[in-house]
Structure formats: C-alpha cells, structure tokens
Amino acid sequence: MAIQGKTMIIALLACFAFQICFSSDAIFYESFEDSFEGRWIVSEKDEYNGVWKLSKSEGHDDHGLLVSEKARKYAIVKELDDVLNLKDKTIVLQFEVRLQNGLECGGAYLKYLRPQDAGWKAKEFDNDSPYAIMFGPDKCGSTNKVHFILKHKNPKNGEYVEHHLKSPPSVPSDKLTHVYTAILTPDNEVRILVDGEEKKKANFLSSDDFEPALIPAKTIPDPNDKKPEDWDERAKIPDADAVKPDDWDEDAPMEIEDEEAVKPEGWLDDEPEEVDDPEATKPEDWDDEEDGEFEAPKIDNPKCETAPGCGEWKKPMKKNPAYKGKWHAPLIDNPNYKGIWKPQDIPNPDYFEIEKPDFEPIAAIGIEIWTMQDGILFDNILIAADEKVAESYRQTAWKPKFDVEKEKEMAEEAAAGSSDGLSDFKKKIFDLLYKIADLPFLSAYNPKIIELIEKGEKQPNITIGILVSVVIVILTVLFRIVFGGKKRPVINNAEATTVAPESSNNQGSGEEKEDEKEKDDAAAPPRRRVSRRDN
C-alpha cells in the first residue's frame, strides 16, 4: 500500500509539472494513440476512396491519423458524447497538422458538424453534411489560408450562409507539425492562433472581419428597377460644332523616307546577308526523289560582320512631321449627363439585427477533404472551454515534437547549404509575402503574386529576384491608385448604401476538382526538305 501511495504521489506531481491535469477539463480530446477504427466512422460514399491509416509521425513515436494516398477524397467523422452549445461561453478549437510531403493543392481542415437531425448520417458524411464551423489550412493555386468559416442561420428567411473570415493567416510553408487554434469568446470575438501565436483577431458582427457580414445590409438594390431609356451615362461627348481644320491631312503617312540619309561608307551592295553553310553536307540517308534537291542551310554572311551592312541599301524611314492621323472632334462635357445609373435602394426583406451570433450546436468532428498530397497527419484534436487547457496541450503534446523537427530541419539546411534549401530567415520572408498578397488592394494581382512566391519557394536561388518582382507589383498598384484614378461619376439621387454581398458556397480549393484535360497524340510530321532559313 505504501508503494502504491508513493506511485500515486509521483503521478500527481508529474501531472502538475506538465500541466496535464487540464486534460480533465477538455470537452473532447483525440490523440490517436489507439486505433481509430470503431470510434471514428469512415464515409461509405463511393467518391471518398482515400484510405485513412494510423501512423507514426516521421521521427517520433507519436501516432496520428494519416492521409495515405495522393489525389483522393477523404471523409471521416467522430461523434461527440454530448452535443456542445457554443452560445455565451468560451470555446477553444485546436488540432495539429503535419504536412510531411508538403501541400501544393489540398485541404487539411476540420468541420465541426451540427446534430444529425439537421439531415446527415455518419456513414454518409460528405461535402453537403451541415457544419457549424470549418477551420484549418487550405492551399491550392492562389488560395493559401487558414480558413475560418461560420455557417449562420438568417432568422428572417431561415437560410444558412457561409461567413468567411477576411484576410486569414497563411499556411506555414514547411513540413513541420503545426498547431492551429481558434478561440471563440462571449464578447463576439474569435482569435486565430498558429503555434500559439495570435495571427488574427476578428469580431463576428463586424462587416470588416467577415465576408459576407453576419448582419445584412438594411437596403438592397431594387431588382425590379430598370434604367430609363433616356438615361445618358456619357460624361463626355464629341463637340458637334467643331470643324476639321483646312490644313488637316488625314492621308499623310506616319513615316516617310529620310531624304538626307546617305549610304554608309563600306556598304557591301553585292554581298548577300546570308550564305550557304560551307560545313553542311547532305545526310547519308537523304533521298533526292523523296526529299527533293538538297540545299545547305543558311548562315550569316561572315563578310557582313565587319561591314556596316550588306545587300541593297535603302534610305531609312523617319517620322513624318506632317502626320496628324484621323481627325476627331474634341470631347466636351455632356450637358445631358446624369451619372452612372444604379437601381433605387429598397428595404432588405432579409435584414435583421442581433447582439450575438446564433451559433449552431456541435455534435461531431469531421475531416472531409480533397487533396493531391499524401502524408498529411492529423493529431491531438481538442475542444476545451478554457484557453489554459489548450495552452497546456500545446506545451506538452505539440512543442516537444516541433522543437525536435525544427532542430532537425536546421541541421539538414546547414548540411545541404543555403543554396539547396530555404533558411529560417527566408521562410519568414515568404510567410510575410503571403500576408502581403492577401492585402485587399492587391486582390486583383493576388494570383500572380502567389505564383511568384511559390516559384521562389521551389527555387531558393532566385529569392532576391522574387522579392524585387513583388515590390515592383506593389509599387505599380500604388502608383495606379494614387495617379491613375478617374474622376468619380455623379450618381442618381438614390441614397448610397452598402449592399449585402452574396454568400459563397466554396469551402476551399481543396474541395474543388481539377478540370480533366484530354491530350491527343500528335502525328509525327513528314521529313522536310532543308531549304533557305526564314528571315
């Protein structure tokens, strides 16, 4: 009994030292140290043919749930013991993901599902299964973000709308284990942490933080309003009283010969610019009947290299000072200009006001993704009601693994040399570039900037060039904004109001199928006769 008492004391001390006692406060926790079979339900739908496996994280004895095959759709779900109400309380959602083979195109996020009375079954879990929150990494093409999407019910029309967090954090560009945390608080805030560091804070009711806003606009454009036939949107019109000047010659050419030009001294009039290659010989398999008479390929005439020119000399062309082009009447202000027409605003029938989001309850956790990569490892999925609980798991379950992986990565980079891999400094630079690419005023250029950044990640030796290119794009956009703006048009008398944007049904590029392309075998071209080279 004394030995058992000492053992219990040691266990309690260890629990206190590592703060694991908080685990008793976890609402849900999955470490995947034991087999997931029988506890997690794999979707039986045909399109979800990706195989889930219980696997050790590379370099660790710690297990996780592994995406084992490339280019597959995966779906698996775990029902909670009790339905979780998110209203008027702090809720922390946290999980780890390790992209052991990187992530070029795919999702690695979780879906927190509503109760099954919303119309879904565990064995039929798919993209259409109703969720309350979607959270986690997604990267493909220009998409590079840690999603946070809230599905919220409009109390006026009963429709569920996806509300996407604006300017979410980027996905870390390495193959280490990272921990993602979303903290929902009773004061309507959500905070997104990556590896314990706050990357984003947002207010659920702010139109600046979510797209579309949870609270719709009070007014919307009248869908039945039509532009009057006599509405004139032309700010400028040709001057009807203008007359073409008598000396305006529309037929004068843009360029004329330079009559003052003189042929350079030493010009070789009798020498062609190209001559037969003296080293060319007819191939042994050349058939005159089939291939025609053999002609040696042409090369630049070596005599022309030291001369100012060869062949027939012609006077160069110059700009015609008399050229004016086609005459057009100058533009003047349009006296009938009424501005750019827009429909009249009417009260929004779906408008409502709330003081707090009407969160849907959570009854299950699901992973439903489409990805081109294998090696994605999910681990330590946690739901807690206390930030300290989530922090304790980060310190005891994630941090030791990450430190080992980081140390190994740094050692490999040092051994391979800076030219063979991204240094820690370069990774910070690329993470910063991804954040810059997500700035609202660069939205039109986001795909191009992302393409440049990804090229730099794959080819570290051109990092400086990538940085210069991105800076040039940003400066160009700023220049256009400052100096290229047009005069704001006058609008009709309708009051300017904010229009509620339409809801997006996209749940991330990881769920979008790539277009399949068929390639026809090109027929081999017939042998061509070697002839004069095209100028």
Side-chain angles (χ1 to χ4, degrees):
M1 291 295 293
I3 295 176
Q4 290 179 347
K6 292 180 179 179
T7 303
M8 183 176 295
I9 292 173
I10 293 173
L12 290 172
L13 289 174
C15 177
F16 176 78
F18 292 99
Q19 299 183 352
I20 299 179
C21 289
F22 281 121
S23 62
S24 61
D25 296 327
I27 298 172
F28 172 84
Y29 177 62
E30 174 60 80
S31 66
F32 293 108
E33 288 307 309
D34 300 320
S35 174
F36 63 88
E37 296 181 2
R39 298 186 300 109
W40 288 71
I41 301 173
V42 178
S43 176
E44 297 179 355
K45 288 209 165 183
D46 293 339
E47 66 264 36
Y48 296 98
N49 53 6
V51 177
W52 295 99
K53 292 184 178 180
L54 189 69
S55 176
K56 288 184 178 181
S57 181
E58 183 180 339
H60 304 290
D61 290 330
D62 186 40
H63 288 78
L65 184 63
L66 179 70
V67 170
S68 66
E69 298 176 299
K70 297 180 179 179
R72 292 286 189 273
K73 295 184 73 173
Y74 293 81
I76 192 170
V77 66
K78 174 70 171 71
E79 296 183 57
L80 305 182
D81 292 337
D82 299 301
V83 174
L84 175 61
N85 188 347
L86 305 182
K87 298 178 182 179
D88 300 322
K89 63 180 67 174
T90 295
I91 293 294
V92 184
L93 311 175
Q94 181 170 285
F95 67 101
E96 296 174 15
V97 172
R98 186 178 186 186
L99 309 173
Q100 297 178 115
N101 297 324
L103 184 62
E104 293 182 5
C105 188
Y109 39 75
L110 302 188
K111 290 183 175 181
Y112 299 86
L113 300 156
R114 291 158 51 195
Q116 292 191 28
D117 57 15
W120 68 280
K121 297 179 180 179
K123 292 184 178 181
E124 298 177 4
F125 174 47
D126 62 8
N127 178 54
D128 296 325
S129 299
Y131 66 87
I133 292 173
M134 189 177 107
F135 172 52
D138 187 22
K139 184 177 180 181
C140 192
S142 61
T143 298
N144 184 332
K145 62 180 70 175
V146 179
H147 275 296
F148 185 91
I149 304 174
L150 173 68
K151 264 200 173 180
H152 191 266
K153 184 179 180 180
N154 184 311
K156 282 292 187 70
N157 58 25
E159 294 181 359
Y160 284 89
V161 179
E162 291 180 1
H163 301 278
H164 294 241
L165 178 66
K166 290 184 179 179
S167 302
S170 299
V171 181
S173 55
D174 55 39
K175 300 178 181 180
L176 310 180
T177 300
H178 294 283
V179 58
Y180 300 90
T181 310
I183 304 172
L184 289 67
T185 58
D187 57 357
N188 299 336
E189 279 193 347
V190 58
R191 291 160 41 218
I192 307 298
L193 282 59
V194 179
D195 297 344
E197 180 181 351
E198 184 176 302
K199 298 292 186 179
K200 179 74 175 182
K201 178 189 286 187
N203 189 297
F204 282 111
L205 302 186
S206 171
S207 59
D208 294 331
D209 292 336
F210 281 87
E211 176 72 26
L214 263 72
I215 300 178
K218 290 184 178 181
T219 61
I220 59 172
D222 184 355
N224 299 317
D225 194 8
K226 304 295 182 183
K227 182 171 70 173
E229 294 182 359
D230 61 346
W231 192 280
D232 196 337
E233 294 183 327
R234 299 173 300 164
K236 298 283 186 178
I237 58 173
D239 185 356
D241 298 327
V243 179
K244 183 175 70 173
D246 294 336
D247 62 346
W248 193 288
D249 185 0
E250 293 184 329
D251 299 324
M254 184 181 295
E255 291 184 331
I256 57 175
E257 281 190 352
D258 186 358
E259 298 296 339
E260 299 178 358
V262 178
K263 181 171 66 175
E265 184 178 352
W267 190 279
L268 304 178
D269 297 88
D270 300 328
E271 289 289 340
E273 294 182 3
E274 295 181 333
V275 295
D276 292 342
D277 185 353
E279 299 182 0
T281 58
K282 183 168 69 173
E284 294 180 359
D285 62 346
W286 189 276
D287 188 329
D288 290 337
E289 293 184 0
E290 180 182 344
D291 302 321
E293 182 183 354
F294 174 77
E295 293 182 8
K298 298 292 185 178
I299 62 171
D300 293 333
N301 188 345
K303 294 181 181 180
C304 300
E305 294 181 1
T306 57
C310 292
E312 181 185 359
W313 181 82
K314 295 181 180 180
K315 291 183 178 181
M317 304 297 288
K318 70 173 185 179
K319 185 178 180 180
N320 182 5
Y323 172 75
K324 294 185 177 181
K326 187 72 175 176
W327 182 84
H328 297 280
L331 297 177
I332 61 172
D333 291 337
N334 181 5
N336 297 320
Y337 176 63
K338 295 184 178 181
I340 303 300
W341 183 86
K342 54 170 287 189
Q344 294 286 334
D345 287 332
I346 61 173
N348 183 359
D350 296 328
Y351 173 75
F352 64 89
E353 292 183 0
I354 52 174
E355 295 183 356
K356 291 182 178 295
D358 188 15
F359 294 113
E360 295 293 329
I362 293 175
I365 297 175
I367 306 175
E368 189 274 320
I369 58 175
W370 179 88
T371 179
M372 293 301 294
Q373 269 69 51
D374 58 355
I376 301 175
L377 195 72
F378 294 88
D379 198 8
N380 293 321
I381 300 174
L382 171 72
I383 300 178
D386 191 331
E387 295 182 41
K388 293 182 179 179
V389 176
E391 182 182 0
S392 72
Y393 276 94
R394 290 197 299 269
Q395 294 299 320
T396 58
W398 166 76
K399 191 66 164 59
K401 288 190 296 186
F402 178 81
D403 289 343
V404 171
E405 294 163 9
K406 189 66 176 178
E407 184 177 353
K408 181 181 178 182
E409 181 191 54
M410 295 176 65
E412 290 175 348
E413 288 180 353
S418 60
S419 63
D420 296 329
L422 290 173
S423 66
D424 185 59
F425 173 74
K426 287 182 179 178
K427 287 178 182 176
K428 292 180 180 179
I429 291 296
F430 281 114
D431 286 342
L432 177 61
L433 289 178
Y434 278 119
K435 292 179 181 178
I436 293 174
D438 286 334
L439 292 175
F441 77 93
L442 292 174
S443 59
Y445 303 87
N446 179 275
K448 185 63 178 177
I449 296 176
I450 293 295
E451 181 182 347
L452 287 172
I453 297 172
E454 291 181 342
K455 184 179 293 184
E457 286 182 311
K458 296 176 182 178
Q459 304 178 51
N461 57 312
I462 64 171
T463 299
I464 298 300
I466 296 298
L467 288 172
V468 173
S469 300
V470 173
V471 170
I472 290 175
V473 171
I474 294 173
L475 292 178
T476 301
V477 176
L478 289 175
F479 183 85
R480 289 178 177 174
I481 292 174
V482 175
F483 300 104
K486 297 182 180 179
K487 182 179 179 181
R488 180 174 297 180
V490 180
I491 61 175
N492 60 342
N493 294 328
E495 294 182 359
T497 56
T498 303
V499 180
E502 294 181 358
S503 168
S504 168
N505 290 324
N506 293 332
Q507 296 181 7
S509 59
E511 296 178 353
E512 298 172 357
K513 294 184 179 179
E514 292 185 335
D515 295 332
E516 297 180 357
K517 298 180 180 179
E518 297 180 354
K519 297 182 178 179
D520 297 330
D521 294 334
R527 179 186 295 177
R528 296 182 58 189
R529 173 186 175 197
V530 178
S531 58
R532 175 181 293 272
R533 181 176 60 186
D534 293 337
N535 290 330

Short mmCIF file of all heavy atoms in Angstrom, two decimals, residues 213-242:
data_model
loop_
_atom_site.label_atom_id
_atom_site.label_comp_id
_atom_site.label_asym_id
_atom_site.label_seq_id
_atom_site.Cartn_x
_atom_site.Cartn_y
_atom_site.Cartn_z
N ALA A 213 -21.03 39.89 -44.36
CA ALA A 213 -21.25 40.25 -42.95
C ALA A 213 -22.40 39.43 -42.38
O ALA A 213 -23.35 39.09 -43.09
CB ALA A 213 -21.54 41.75 -42.84
N LEU A 214 -22.31 39.10 -41.09
CA LEU A 214 -23.39 38.34 -40.45
C LEU A 214 -24.69 39.14 -40.47
O LEU A 214 -25.77 38.57 -40.70
CB LEU A 214 -23.02 37.99 -39.01
CG LEU A 214 -22.43 36.58 -38.80
CD1 LEU A 214 -21.03 36.50 -39.37
CD2 LEU A 214 -22.43 36.21 -37.33
N ILE A 215 -24.61 40.44 -40.21
CA ILE A 215 -25.79 41.28 -40.24
C ILE A 215 -25.91 41.87 -41.65
O ILE A 215 -25.05 42.62 -42.08
CB ILE A 215 -25.70 42.41 -39.20
CG1 ILE A 215 -25.57 41.81 -37.79
CG2 ILE A 215 -26.93 43.31 -39.28
CD1 ILE A 215 -25.42 42.85 -36.70
N PRO A 216 -26.97 41.53 -42.37
CA PRO A 216 -27.10 42.02 -43.75
C PRO A 216 -27.28 43.53 -43.81
O PRO A 216 -27.58 44.19 -42.81
CB PRO A 216 -28.35 41.29 -44.26
CG PRO A 216 -28.63 40.20 -43.27
CD PRO A 216 -28.08 40.67 -41.97
N ALA A 217 -27.13 44.07 -45.01
CA ALA A 217 -27.37 45.50 -45.22
C ALA A 217 -28.86 45.82 -45.05
O ALA A 217 -29.72 45.00 -45.36
CB ALA A 217 -26.90 45.90 -46.62
N LYS A 218 -29.14 47.03 -44.58
CA LYS A 218 -30.53 47.43 -44.37
C LYS A 218 -31.27 47.59 -45.69
O LYS A 218 -32.49 47.38 -45.75
CB LYS A 218 -30.61 48.74 -43.58
CG LYS A 218 -30.19 48.62 -42.12
CD LYS A 218 -30.41 49.94 -41.40
CE LYS A 218 -30.05 49.82 -39.92
NZ LYS A 218 -30.28 51.10 -39.19
N THR A 219 -30.56 47.99 -46.72
CA THR A 219 -31.20 48.19 -48.03
C THR A 219 -30.45 47.40 -49.09
O THR A 219 -29.27 47.10 -48.93
CB THR A 219 -31.22 49.67 -48.42
OG1 THR A 219 -29.87 50.15 -48.51
CG2 THR A 219 -32.00 50.49 -47.42
N ILE A 220 -31.14 47.10 -50.15
CA ILE A 220 -30.55 46.40 -51.29
C ILE A 220 -31.05 47.07 -52.58
O ILE A 220 -32.09 47.73 -52.58
CB ILE A 220 -30.93 44.91 -51.31
CG1 ILE A 220 -32.47 44.75 -51.38
CG2 ILE A 220 -30.35 44.18 -50.11
CD1 ILE A 220 -32.92 43.32 -51.59
N PRO A 221 -30.34 46.91 -53.69
CA PRO A 221 -30.83 47.46 -54.96
C PRO A 221 -32.14 46.78 -55.36
O PRO A 221 -32.29 45.57 -55.21
CB PRO A 221 -29.71 47.12 -55.95
CG PRO A 221 -28.49 46.91 -55.11
CD PRO A 221 -28.99 46.33 -53.82
N ASP A 222 -33.05 47.57 -55.85
CA ASP A 222 -34.35 47.04 -56.27
C ASP A 222 -34.16 46.19 -57.52
O ASP A 222 -33.78 46.70 -58.59
CB ASP A 222 -35.30 48.21 -56.57
CG ASP A 222 -36.70 47.73 -56.92
OD1 ASP A 222 -36.92 46.51 -57.01
OD2 ASP A 222 -37.58 48.60 -57.10
N PRO A 223 -34.41 44.88 -57.44
CA PRO A 223 -34.20 44.02 -58.61
C PRO A 223 -35.18 44.32 -59.75
O PRO A 223 -34.93 43.92 -60.89
CB PRO A 223 -34.42 42.60 -58.05
CG PRO A 223 -35.29 42.79 -56.85
CD PRO A 223 -34.89 44.12 -56.28
N ASN A 224 -36.26 45.03 -59.47
CA ASN A 224 -37.25 45.34 -60.49
C ASN A 224 -37.07 46.73 -61.10
O ASN A 224 -37.80 47.10 -62.02
CB ASN A 224 -38.66 45.23 -59.91
CG ASN A 224 -38.97 43.82 -59.40
OD1 ASN A 224 -38.64 42.84 -60.06
ND2 ASN A 224 -39.58 43.72 -58.23
N ASP A 225 -36.09 47.47 -60.59
CA ASP A 225 -35.85 48.82 -61.11
C ASP A 225 -35.12 48.73 -62.44
O ASP A 225 -34.15 47.97 -62.57
CB ASP A 225 -35.05 49.63 -60.09
CG ASP A 225 -35.06 51.11 -60.40
OD1 ASP A 225 -35.83 51.51 -61.30
OD2 ASP A 225 -34.31 51.86 -59.75
N LYS A 226 -35.55 49.49 -63.44
CA LYS A 226 -34.95 49.47 -64.77
C LYS A 226 -34.42 50.86 -65.13
O LYS A 226 -35.02 51.88 -64.78
CB LYS A 226 -35.97 49.03 -65.82
CG LYS A 226 -36.63 47.67 -65.54
CD LYS A 226 -35.61 46.54 -65.58
CE LYS A 226 -36.29 45.19 -65.34
NZ LYS A 226 -35.31 44.07 -65.30
N LYS A 227 -33.32 50.87 -65.87
CA LYS A 227 -32.75 52.15 -66.31
C LYS A 227 -33.65 52.79 -67.37
O LYS A 227 -34.01 52.15 -68.34
CB LYS A 227 -31.35 51.93 -66.87
CG LYS A 227 -30.66 53.22 -67.30
CD LYS A 227 -29.21 53.00 -67.65
CE LYS A 227 -29.07 52.20 -68.94
NZ LYS A 227 -27.64 52.12 -69.36
N PRO A 228 -34.03 54.06 -67.19
CA PRO A 228 -34.84 54.76 -68.21
C PRO A 228 -34.13 54.79 -69.56
O PRO A 228 -32.89 54.86 -69.62
CB PRO A 228 -35.00 56.17 -67.62
CG PRO A 228 -34.77 56.01 -66.15
CD PRO A 228 -33.75 54.91 -66.02
N GLU A 229 -34.89 54.75 -70.62
CA GLU A 229 -34.31 54.72 -71.96
C GLU A 229 -33.55 56.01 -72.28
O GLU A 229 -32.59 55.99 -73.07
CB GLU A 229 -35.41 54.50 -73.00
CG GLU A 229 -36.08 53.12 -72.91
CD GLU A 229 -37.13 52.93 -73.98
OE1 GLU A 229 -37.34 53.87 -74.77
OE2 GLU A 229 -37.73 51.83 -74.03
N ASP A 230 -33.95 57.13 -71.69
CA ASP A 230 -33.29 58.41 -72.00
C ASP A 230 -32.16 58.73 -71.02
O ASP A 230 -31.65 59.85 -71.00
CB ASP A 230 -34.32 59.54 -71.98
CG ASP A 230 -34.99 59.71 -70.62
OD1 ASP A 230 -34.85 58.79 -69.78
OD2 ASP A 230 -35.65 60.74 -70.40
N TRP A 231 -31.77 57.74 -70.20
CA TRP A 231 -30.70 57.99 -69.23
C TRP A 231 -29.36 58.03 -69.96
O TRP A 231 -28.97 57.06 -70.61
CB TRP A 231 -30.69 56.91 -68.16
CG TRP A 231 -29.81 57.24 -66.98
CD1 TRP A 231 -28.47 57.11 -66.89
CD2 TRP A 231 -30.23 57.78 -65.74
NE1 TRP A 231 -28.01 57.52 -65.68
CE2 TRP A 231 -29.07 57.94 -64.94
CE3 TRP A 231 -31.47 58.14 -65.22
CZ2 TRP A 231 -29.13 58.45 -63.64
CZ3 TRP A 231 -31.52 58.64 -63.91
CH2 TRP A 231 -30.36 58.79 -63.15
N ASP A 232 -28.65 59.16 -69.86
CA ASP A 232 -27.39 59.36 -70.58
C ASP A 232 -26.22 59.22 -69.61
O ASP A 232 -26.07 60.04 -68.70
CB ASP A 232 -27.37 60.74 -71.25
CG ASP A 232 -26.29 60.84 -72.33
OD1 ASP A 232 -25.32 60.06 -72.26
OD2 ASP A 232 -26.42 61.71 -73.22
N GLU A 233 -25.39 58.19 -69.78
CA GLU A 233 -24.26 57.93 -68.88
C GLU A 233 -22.94 58.44 -69.46
O GLU A 233 -21.90 58.23 -68.85
CB GLU A 233 -24.14 56.43 -68.61
CG GLU A 233 -25.30 55.85 -67.83
CD GLU A 233 -25.11 54.38 -67.50
OE1 GLU A 233 -24.49 53.67 -68.32
OE2 GLU A 233 -25.56 53.95 -66.43
N ARG A 234 -22.99 59.14 -70.59
CA ARG A 234 -21.75 59.63 -71.21
C ARG A 234 -21.33 60.95 -70.55
O ARG A 234 -22.01 61.95 -70.67
CB ARG A 234 -21.94 59.83 -72.71
CG ARG A 234 -22.31 58.57 -73.48
CD ARG A 234 -22.64 58.92 -74.92
NE ARG A 234 -23.78 59.86 -74.98
CZ ARG A 234 -24.09 60.57 -76.06
NH1 ARG A 234 -23.35 60.45 -77.16
NH2 ARG A 234 -25.13 61.39 -76.05
N ALA A 235 -20.18 60.93 -69.89
CA ALA A 235 -19.69 62.15 -69.24
C ALA A 235 -19.17 63.14 -70.27
O ALA A 235 -19.29 64.37 -70.10
CB ALA A 235 -18.60 61.81 -68.24
N LYS A 236 -18.59 62.65 -71.36
CA LYS A 236 -18.05 63.49 -72.43
C LYS A 236 -18.68 63.08 -73.76
O LYS A 236 -18.95 61.90 -73.98
CB LYS A 236 -16.54 63.34 -72.52
CG LYS A 236 -15.77 63.78 -71.28
CD LYS A 236 -15.66 65.29 -71.19
CE LYS A 236 -14.77 65.72 -70.03
NZ LYS A 236 -14.62 67.20 -69.95
N ILE A 237 -18.87 64.07 -74.64
CA ILE A 237 -19.39 63.79 -75.98
C ILE A 237 -18.59 64.62 -76.99
O ILE A 237 -18.00 65.65 -76.64
CB ILE A 237 -20.89 64.15 -76.08
CG1 ILE A 237 -21.13 65.63 -75.74
CG2 ILE A 237 -21.72 63.24 -75.20
CD1 ILE A 237 -22.55 66.09 -75.99
N PRO A 238 -18.56 64.18 -78.26
CA PRO A 238 -17.87 64.97 -79.29
C PRO A 238 -18.55 66.33 -79.47
O PRO A 238 -19.77 66.45 -79.42
CB PRO A 238 -17.99 64.12 -80.55
CG PRO A 238 -18.25 62.73 -80.05
CD PRO A 238 -19.04 62.89 -78.79
N ASP A 239 -17.73 67.35 -79.68
CA ASP A 239 -18.24 68.71 -79.89
C ASP A 239 -18.88 68.78 -81.28
O ASP A 239 -18.20 68.70 -82.31
CB ASP A 239 -17.11 69.72 -79.77
CG ASP A 239 -17.59 71.16 -79.86
OD1 ASP A 239 -18.81 71.36 -80.11
OD2 ASP A 239 -16.76 72.07 -79.70
N ALA A 240 -20.20 68.92 -81.32
CA ALA A 240 -20.91 68.93 -82.61
C ALA A 240 -20.58 70.16 -83.44
O ALA A 240 -20.76 70.15 -84.67
CB ALA A 240 -22.42 68.86 -82.34
N ASP A 241 -20.08 71.24 -82.83
CA ASP A 241 -19.77 72.47 -83.57
C ASP A 241 -18.34 72.51 -84.08
O ASP A 241 -17.95 73.44 -84.78
CB ASP A 241 -20.02 73.68 -82.66
CG ASP A 241 -21.48 73.79 -82.24
OD1 ASP A 241 -22.35 73.40 -83.06
OD2 ASP A 241 -21.75 74.24 -81.10
N ALA A 242 -17.55 71.52 -83.69
CA ALA A 242 -16.15 71.51 -84.11
C ALA A 242 -16.04 71.18 -85.60
O ALA A 242 -16.81 70.38 -86.13
CB ALA A 242 -15.36 70.51 -83.29
#
